[in-house]
Amino acid sequence: MQRFGNIGSGVYRHFSETICPPIRRVSGEATRRTKNNTLFLFIFSLFVIAFVYTFYLINTPVAVSEPSAESILASKQSHKAHPKKTRIRYSLNCNTTNQTQTCPKNLPLVEQEPQSPSSTCPDYFRWIHEDLRPWKEKGITKEMVESARRTANFRLVILSGKAYVEIYEKSFQSRDVFTLWGILQLLKLYPKQLPDLDLMFDCVDWPVIRKGFYSGPNATAPPPLFRYCSDDQSLDIVFPDWSFWGWSEINIKPWNSLLKELKEGNNRVKWTEREPYAYWKGNPSVAKTRQDLLTCNVSNKKDWGARLYAQDWGAEIQKGYKQSNLADQCIHRYKIYIEGSAWSVSEKYILACDSVTLLVKPLYYDIFTRGLVPVHHYWPIKDNDKCRSIKFAVEWGNSHKKKAQEIGKAASNFIHDNLTMEYVYDYMFHLLNEYAKLFKYKPTKPENAIEFCSETMACNADGTTRKFMEEAMMRSPSDTMPCSLPPPMDPLTRLSLMRRKVNSVEQVEKWEKKYWDDQTE
């Protein structure tokens, strides 16, 4: 700022010396005219000085230079004296020759300086403690991990912030690819903040670690096995599903992009102006319960208030996915969620739509669904009497529009506020950290494992897979620490939560029974 002060005073001197004449002794009217002229010229000089000074400030460029590696290191070593930090940027470094793609040797994986968490994690993060409870007392040994190999698709070992993977069996479609891609992005988001760990991952839908096999006084410890869903009779550890980073086979975009599109889709048609029916579109061939759902479709003889469509993915691929854009499907007041062969990734897309989710009684859960409350976030539908249950839900919602809109909005808010990609990464971070705390051995690189990084995966990919990888790629480390993990639920809190859910479902069933009893009178 000193240079601006010197320039300003110099400009003022210049105008003072050239405009103001020497003062001479005069009398009467001449004196008054001289004073008036002098005052006018003085004010005019100030105005010109201010104009020139402002023009100079606006048009003077400020030099900006990129910091060198040495200056970055010096800045981190003297953080207290110079708190401003240089932001690291990630990019793909693909070989342009015919050489085998390898991981860069000098990745900018620096230690993140301790900071306060940006927020408290959503309440569904509490279930991390519950999922790891079977190993809380005795810990996890190498033998336990290796005993989960029987059904695993791959083994992942993280050592000093680097990922090493041993593939046992290729997964269905690109599930394993995008799951590993998500883990690599986590390592970039929070560089060198994950402890060393060793895990087995199964990409198949159905949980396989049954509680009954590992209970009793002589039972062995259960193998820790990660997958996308579990149920109340299983001990599989739930992990975010692959579609958060994209599902290239059916053109479902990474979650960050899709969530924005779903929000825009919600604004296209107001709830009161949407079709007053229950909508579902999906593949019925994967489960008997979905085939049973199709019997609730509208016909010449009966209208259960449902509009149901079988999705032919083969035909859809040929047509360029013109009829499967999820953001275009938020045009009905009600949307049905029903499980397939197990849990379905479609649940988050349906809940994000502002429509009332009619949720057919589920058997499985993923990372966030245990945080949903019936009648608050969704409307429960019987699995053994679907048509009548859907009919009542639609009739009730159309008769209680304000309450129905509140249910749809509560679910949509839950997804848009509590299931952002930031929270997905934080869930992974806390799950893997808590998991690593249970280890009774020091993980080492398996003999047949190879190092995985963004380059070895994306540089060799093409088409939609490569496009989605680049779209979901982490561009820089996080400026803040992950959200703060809530403590475990005490037994009374857990019992109260389960009781509330049961009571809500039972209340709906009573209303439904009365509705149909009145119809037969």
Side-chain angles (χ1 to χ4, degrees):
M1 292 303 295
Q2 182 62 41
R3 59 190 177 119
F4 293 134
N6 292 338
I7 291 171
S9 60
V11 170
Y12 179 76
R13 278 199 308 273
H14 172 73
F15 278 95
S16 296
E17 292 167 357
T18 57
I19 293 178
C20 297
I23 299 176
R24 295 175 296 177
R25 290 184 179 274
V26 293
S27 61
E29 186 66 20
T31 301
R32 286 192 297 271
R33 285 198 303 269
T34 300
K35 289 181 178 180
N36 290 339
N37 290 339
T38 301
L39 180 60
F40 171 79
L41 290 173
F42 178 78
I43 295 173
F44 179 77
S45 299
L46 291 178
F47 174 82
V48 172
I49 291 169
F51 175 82
V52 173
Y53 182 74
T54 303
F55 181 86
Y56 186 90
L57 281 176
I58 293 174
N59 291 279
T60 301
V62 179
V64 179
S65 58
E66 289 292 330
S68 63
E70 292 78 8
S71 66
I72 293 174
L73 180 61
S75 175
K76 294 190 69 65
Q77 290 174 341
S78 59
H79 177 71
K80 292 183 179 179
H82 305 283
K84 190 174 182 179
K85 297 186 297 181
T86 301
R87 191 170 178 82
I88 295 172
R89 297 291 181 182
Y90 298 126
S91 61
L92 281 177
N93 299 308
C94 298
N95 288 337
T96 57
T97 65
N98 292 328
Q99 295 179 351
T100 301
Q101 182 68 53
T102 58
C103 295
K105 298 300 181 184
N106 298 315
L107 288 176
L109 296 178
V110 295
E111 298 279 359
Q112 182 79 18
E113 296 181 11
Q115 300 178 54
S116 299
S118 57
S119 63
T120 300
C121 301
D123 213 46
Y124 67 85
F125 278 55
R126 289 177 181 269
W127 291 98
I128 290 174
H129 304 290
E130 300 300 321
D131 289 348
L132 298 176
R133 190 175 297 280
W135 302 274
K136 191 74 174 178
E137 184 177 343
K138 296 183 179 179
I140 294 174
T141 65
K142 187 174 184 179
E143 291 71 26
M144 291 181 191
V145 172
E146 292 182 339
S147 67
R149 175 176 177 170
R150 182 174 58 88
T151 65
N153 290 95
F154 63 82
R155 181 178 189 173
L156 167 72
V157 176
I158 295 176
L159 301 173
S160 300
K162 294 184 178 182
Y164 301 90
V165 181
E166 183 176 4
I167 303 293
Y168 299 132
E169 184 178 354
K170 184 71 181 74
S171 75
F172 175 66
Q173 295 184 340
S174 56
R175 293 183 176 201
D176 53 352
V177 171
F178 282 103
T179 299
L180 287 167
W181 183 255
I183 293 170
L184 292 178
Q185 305 320 300
L186 174 69
L187 295 178
K188 286 187 169 185
L189 181 65
Y190 297 120
K192 290 191 176 179
Q193 293 187 63
L194 279 171
D196 292 353
L197 57 88
D198 182 6
L199 66 84
M200 297 284 184
F201 205 105
D202 188 340
C203 299
V204 177
D205 285 339
W206 314 283
V208 296
I209 310 300
R210 312 304 289 178
K211 282 182 180 179
F213 296 159
Y214 304 98
S215 59
N218 299 320
T220 59
L225 180 64
F226 288 72
R227 71 171 63 250
Y228 308 120
C229 74
S230 190
D231 61 26
D232 292 338
Q233 284 71 49
S234 304
L235 299 174
D236 301 66
I237 304 169
V238 293
F239 194 85
D241 73 81
W242 75 97
S243 68
F244 282 106
W245 296 273
W247 190 351
S248 56
E249 287 81 6
I250 59 174
N251 201 42
I252 290 183
K253 299 176 182 179
W255 184 235
N256 248 350
S257 301
L258 185 55
L259 198 60
K260 294 176 183 176
E261 292 183 4
L262 288 169
K263 194 167 188 176
E264 293 171 358
N266 282 341
N267 296 328
R268 292 173 193 164
V269 184
K270 294 180 180 179
W271 190 92
T272 53
E273 297 173 0
R274 297 184 181 187
E275 295 291 328
Y277 307 110
Y279 172 90
W280 179 81
K281 188 174 187 178
N283 183 2
S285 65
V286 297
K288 185 178 179 180
T289 185
R290 288 190 174 185
Q291 296 168 16
D292 183 47
L293 173 66
L294 289 183
T295 64
C296 306
N297 216 344
V298 62
S299 67
N300 295 331
K301 296 181 180 179
K302 193 71 176 179
D303 187 354
W304 296 105
R307 302 295 183 264
L308 313 173
Y309 305 89
Q311 177 72 67
D312 183 346
W313 281 112
E316 189 62 20
I317 291 171
Q318 293 180 354
K319 295 177 182 177
Y321 307 100
K322 293 180 180 179
Q323 302 299 320
S324 59
N325 188 338
L326 295 171
D328 293 337
Q329 297 178 12
C330 300
I331 59 173
H332 292 77
R333 292 182 184 175
Y334 314 92
K335 294 193 70 174
I336 298 170
Y337 168 74
I338 184 169
E339 293 177 334
S341 56
W343 140 98
S344 170
V345 301
S346 65
E347 188 165 13
K348 57 182 176 289
Y349 311 134
I350 292 171
L351 288 163
C353 221
D354 273 3
S355 304
V356 180
T357 297
L358 307 186
L359 199 150
V360 180
K361 185 178 179 180
L363 297 176
Y364 305 92
Y365 56 78
D366 63 5
I367 64 167
F368 73 89
T369 49
R370 287 170 288 183
L372 301 174
V373 178
V375 191
H376 178 65
H377 295 112
Y378 66 89
W379 190 269
I381 299 295
K382 292 180 180 177
D383 60 337
N384 58 355
D385 194 8
K386 298 180 184 70
C387 300
R388 285 164 36 108
S389 195
I390 290 170
K391 175 69 173 178
F392 169 68
V394 171
E395 293 289 336
W396 183 91
N398 289 336
S399 301
H400 301 79
K401 294 183 177 65
K402 185 175 183 296
K403 180 58 180 176
Q405 289 181 72
E406 290 175 357
I407 295 173
K409 196 63 180 175
S412 183
N413 287 343
F414 180 95
I415 298 298
H416 288 278
D417 295 342
N418 298 323
L419 198 64
T420 62
M421 276 310 299
E422 289 79 8
Y423 282 135
V424 172
Y425 281 120
D426 284 2
Y427 190 97
M428 296 162 63
F429 178 89
H430 285 302
L431 174 60
L432 295 179
N433 264 283
E434 296 300 312
Y435 171 71
K437 291 177 183 178
L438 304 173
F439 272 53
K440 296 297 183 181
Y441 71 101
K442 181 175 176 57
T444 57
K445 176 181 173 294
E447 182 179 354
N448 296 323
I450 60 174
E451 183 180 356
F452 269 50
C453 62
S454 296
E455 281 73 16
T456 59
M457 294 196 73
C459 293
N460 297 321
D462 55 19
T464 306
T465 298
R466 172 68 177 264
K467 174 185 173 184
F468 286 171
M469 282 183 171
E470 292 189 4
E471 188 174 329
M473 190 175 75
M474 198 57 57
R475 303 297 175 181
S476 61
S478 175
D479 289 330
T480 61
M481 294 293 288
C483 60
S484 179
L485 180 66
M489 284 183 287
D490 60 82
L492 185 60
T493 299
R494 184 173 181 180
L495 180 62
S496 176
L497 177 62
M498 302 308 294
R499 189 69 251 172
R500 179 188 175 188
K501 292 183 177 182
V502 170
N503 289 343
S504 296
V505 173
E506 289 178 349
Q507 179 62 68
V508 169
E509 290 178 350
K510 289 179 182 178
W511 291 340
E512 186 177 323
K513 182 178 184 304
K514 184 178 185 308
Y515 171 84
W516 288 109
D517 287 345
D518 292 344
Q519 300 295 313
T520 58
E521 290 181 359

